[in-house]
């Protein structure tokens, strides 16, 4: 199938890089978002998100004249839906006393409805948003059928998950293998034709529900594996072991690859997607559910380690370093670091947070410092919450001159215990009872 013009609905972390990349590879792209502020920002050539390399691709796309923006779709050869699928705010499901979160599919539903008036015979519609199993066949197809056209007969319909890693999106978009799941073989083939415009990785055809499951399985697999690492950190703490040393040694086994404990699991993917399985089948997802529980409880474990380091939390001044959900990104959504700060404050600690990737962030209930210096100056303890490269470069000797704190708590194994100790600091690290000395 040949494509000249495509419409991408949702210009966030996935939609915008995807749209820009299609445009720099020769397609005419209409980027659609219901948020008028985003559309105005993009029309000015500015960006509302930070992703390395995006600005360059986007500028090239706009200069080519092939990338335009609107709040509404238009007729096109293909439509891609890349809108968020968060949780419902105040509604939960319940099964046998287990309370689980529910997917909020309103943005996906509205995006499909927005396409309706422009859908024509021979079109291709692709859903990219992470969704519960059977969304393409049971939610999208019936909405689009209201046009009088039937998915699989009159137009192609497919699900293709994005798998790009924030911070590496521009490269991974092109290089990663891509799964395309059609509701018919022809739909999968049409989706393959579209992505082959720029994808250099393998493009693998399957059915839509398999593709949906593949996406959820990938992120659930990672969540469960991080949960075991976090649980190991608590076990090591209990048994007076350094979990980082133990993981290092266990990983010498040829078939073992334990991930890293940390402040918890954040972001809008790994901490969200496993719930889509739990919601779809609560009676058979006990492992997935409990892994979520373990990871969600990790900020509380970090708080306890800080309490132990300081003796008590009430009235203590703590400099929290890093608020992003993971290293070297500016995304503060669903951030476990944020949760740790709140837990500390709830117990009377005075926290000043420093996030070098978003110093101006305005987060409810969090006191943001304007510089590293101002965060640490009067602190009783420095708490490392995110392993930003910039923090790894911090020189303990220099820091010792700028803060009255002599206690370090490292929640992410970002610093070298011995160097800090040599410079007069007491050093605590999660999952590492050996550091107490
Ligand atoms: N984390 C740990 N320990 C680890 C690895 C990660 O605590 O060993 C934490 C991070 O600090 C962060 C969270 O887990 O808070 C998630 O970070 P991540 O780097 O594992 O993943 P994301 O959410 O940035 O991106 C994931 C990726 N999925 C997989 O690696 C299976 C990415 O490929 C997906 O495209 C993305 O989710 C998505 O959009 O679904």
């Amino acid at each position: 199938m040949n494509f000249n013009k495509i419409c991408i609905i949702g210009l966030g972390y996935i939609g915008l890089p995807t749209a820009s990349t299609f445009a720099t590879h020769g397609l005419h792209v209409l980027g659609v978002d219901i948020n008028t502020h985003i559309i105005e920002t993009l029309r000015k050539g500015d960006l509302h998100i930070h992703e390395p390399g995006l600005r360059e691709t986007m500028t090239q796309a706009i200069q080519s004249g092939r990338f335009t923006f609107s709040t509404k779709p238009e007729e096109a050869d293909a439509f891609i839906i890349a809108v968020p699928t968060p949780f419902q705010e105040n509604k939960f499901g319940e099964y046998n006393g287990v309370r689980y979160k529910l997917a909020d599919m309103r943005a996906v539903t509205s995006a499909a409805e927005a396409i309706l008036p422009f859908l024509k015979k021979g079109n291709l519609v692709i859903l990219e948003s992470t969704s519960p199993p059977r969304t393409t066949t049971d939610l999208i197809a019936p909405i689009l059928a209201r046009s009088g056209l039937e998915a699989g007969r009159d137009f192609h319909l497919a699900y293709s998950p994005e798998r790009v890693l924030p911070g590496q999106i521009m490269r991974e978009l092109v290089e990663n293998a891509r799964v395309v799941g059609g509701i018919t073989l022809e739909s999968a083939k049409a989706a393959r034709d579209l992505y082959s415009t720029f994808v250099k990785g393998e493009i693998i055809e399957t059915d839509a529900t398999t593709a949906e499951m593949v996406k959820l399985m990938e992120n659930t697999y990672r969540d469960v594996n991080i949960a075991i690492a976090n649980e190991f950190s608590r076990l090591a703490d209990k048994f007076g072991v350094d979990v980082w040393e133990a993981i290092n040694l266990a990983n010498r086994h040829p078939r073992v690859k334990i991930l890293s404990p940390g402040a918890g699991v954040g972001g809008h993917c790994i901490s969200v997607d496993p719930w889509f399985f739990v919601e779809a089948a609560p009676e058979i997802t006990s492992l997935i559910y409990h892994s979520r529980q373990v990871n969600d409880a990790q900020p509380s474990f970090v708080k306890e380690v800080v309490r132990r380091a300081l003796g008590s939390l009430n009235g203590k001044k703590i400099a929290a370093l890093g608020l992003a959900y993971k290293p070297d990104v500016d995304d503060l959504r669903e951030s476990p670091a944020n949760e740790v700060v709140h837990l500390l404050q709830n117990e009377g600690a005075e926290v000043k947070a420093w996030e070098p990737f978003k110093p101006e962030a305005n987060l409810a209930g969090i006191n943001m410092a304007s510089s590293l210096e101002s965060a640490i100056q009067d602190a009783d303890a420095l708490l490392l919450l995110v392993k930003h490269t910039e923090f790894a470069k911090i020189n303990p000797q220099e820091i010792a001159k700028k803060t009255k704190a002599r206690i370090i708590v490292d929640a992410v194994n970002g610093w070298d215990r011995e160097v800090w100790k040599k410079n007069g600091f007491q050093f605590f690290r999660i999952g590492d009872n050996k550091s107490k000395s």
Side-chain angles (χ1 to χ4, degrees):
M1 191 174 165
N2 286 325
F3 301 92
N4 176 35
K5 177 173 172 184
I6 65 169
C7 228
I8 300 202
I9 297 139
L11 297 175
Y13 279 91
I14 300 304
L16 188 58
T18 306
S20 313
T21 307
F22 271 119
T24 54
H25 284 75
L27 293 193
H28 287 89
V29 180
L30 179 70
V32 179
D33 205 293
I34 52 164
N35 185 325
T36 46
H37 173 70
I38 290 179
I39 295 299
E40 279 160 23
T41 306
L42 295 171
R43 279 188 179 144
K44 277 190 252 155
D46 289 338
L47 283 175
H48 61 292
I49 52 175
H50 167 83
E51 176 62 31
L54 174 59
R55 182 171 291 282
E56 291 76 359
T57 309
M58 158 106 175
T59 308
Q60 205 188 325
I62 292 174
Q63 281 170 357
S64 74
R66 289 188 298 267
F67 193 14
T68 51
F69 307 98
S70 173
T71 51
K72 283 204 181 81
E74 287 171 6
E75 285 195 354
D77 302 314
F79 300 88
I80 295 180
I81 299 173
V83 296
T85 45
F87 297 133
Q88 295 188 35
E89 285 286 333
N90 299 313
K91 218 170 142 204
F92 298 88
E94 194 160 333
Y95 173 81
N96 263 357
V98 164
R99 206 164 99 117
Y100 53 86
K101 302 188 185 186
L102 300 168
D104 180 348
M105 301 303 288
R106 279 177 303 177
V108 168
T109 303
S110 315
E113 286 171 345
I115 294 171
L116 261 181
F118 307 100
L119 191 65
K120 286 186 317 216
K121 256 193 164 172
N123 276 167
L124 164 66
V125 179
I126 299 177
L127 175 65
E128 282 200 13
S129 310
T130 305
S131 302
R134 304 197 64 83
T135 297
T136 310
T137 51
D138 296 359
L139 180 70
I140 304 292
I143 293 174
L144 296 179
R146 289 194 234 146
S147 64
L149 301 174
E150 192 186 316
R153 188 191 66 192
D154 301 316
F155 66 94
H156 301 297
L157 177 61
Y159 180 81
S160 181
E162 55 78 15
R163 306 159 113 182
V164 289
L165 195 70
Q168 311 270 348
I169 292 180
M170 302 315 289
R171 185 180 57 76
E172 290 205 358
L173 209 50
V174 175
E175 290 177 6
N176 285 3
R178 181 125 214 164
V179 175
V180 288
I183 64 154
T184 57
L185 291 177
E186 293 70 31
S187 290
K189 168 93 180 51
R192 163 198 281 280
D193 291 345
L194 179 59
Y195 288 114
S196 61
T197 309
F198 67 79
V199 172
K200 293 207 179 85
E202 200 183 345
I203 302 179
I204 307 123
E205 292 170 30
T206 182
D207 65 90
T209 309
T210 301
E212 289 162 349
M213 240 189 106
V214 165
K215 171 68 193 182
L216 297 179
M217 281 164 57
E218 290 165 358
N219 281 355
T220 302
Y221 169 85
R222 195 154 169 87
D223 197 42
V224 171
N225 277 282
I226 298 169
I228 194 83
N230 282 336
E231 198 153 282
F232 286 153
S233 74
R234 298 176 207 172
L235 285 166
D237 185 74
K238 185 175 170 75
F239 295 121
V241 163
D242 172 358
V243 77
W244 306 95
E245 179 193 357
I247 288 176
N248 205 354
L249 298 182
N251 282 350
R252 303 277 182 95
H253 185 291
R255 285 173 297 283
V256 174
K257 180 84 191 76
I258 301 167
L259 295 176
S260 301
V265 169
H268 39 284
C269 309
I270 301 211
S271 65
V272 178
D273 301 354
W275 287 111
F276 293 180
F277 273 145
V278 178
E279 174 182 357
E283 70 288 0
I284 46 173
T285 42
S286 143
L287 174 66
I288 299 172
Y289 170 79
H290 284 105
S291 299
R292 281 278 72 245
Q293 298 295 101
V294 168
N295 287 335
D296 278 353
Q298 190 72 353
S300 177
F301 174 60
V302 173
K303 179 203 70 184
E304 286 310 318
V305 176
V306 180
R307 185 209 303 282
R308 221 191 286 152
L310 281 162
S312 72
L313 292 172
N314 200 13
K316 296 288 162 50
K317 295 194 166 101
I318 299 169
L321 306 187
L323 282 183
Y325 88 90
K326 70 171 191 175
D328 297 331
V329 299
D330 75 336
D331 193 343
L332 313 188
R333 292 176 296 173
E334 309 274 343
S335 163
N338 201 319
E339 168 90 14
V340 173
V341 171
H342 283 292
L343 291 173
L344 292 168
Q345 290 178 163
N346 289 349
E347 304 219 7
E350 286 175 35
V351 184
K352 264 194 179 177
W354 165 236
E355 174 44 69
F357 281 85
K358 236 182 200 170
E360 78 292 356
N362 189 1
L363 297 168
I366 294 196
N367 184 3
M368 298 292 288
S370 55
S371 64
L372 174 66
E373 283 69 22
S374 73
I376 65 175
Q377 210 170 16
D378 299 321
D380 298 308
L382 312 187
L383 168 61
L384 181 65
L385 288 171
V386 184
K387 206 172 171 176
H388 287 320
T389 310
E390 177 167 341
F391 291 151
K393 292 185 196 145
I394 281 178
N395 177 343
Q397 203 177 356
E398 290 302 311
I399 291 290
K401 293 180 209 150
K402 294 178 180 167
T403 175
K404 70 177 187 60
R406 286 296 173 265
I407 293 176
I408 300 293
V409 183
D410 180 352
V412 288
N413 192 26
W415 284 335
D416 185 325
R417 160 175 66 196
E418 297 314 316
V419 182
W420 283 95
K421 280 184 167 178
K422 217 180 285 165
N423 285 284
F425 290 89
Q426 261 187 295
F427 191 90
F428 298 81
R429 180 163 60 180
I430 64 150
D432 177 9
N433 239 333
K434 285 186 179 174
S435 281
K436 268 198 310 194
S437 47

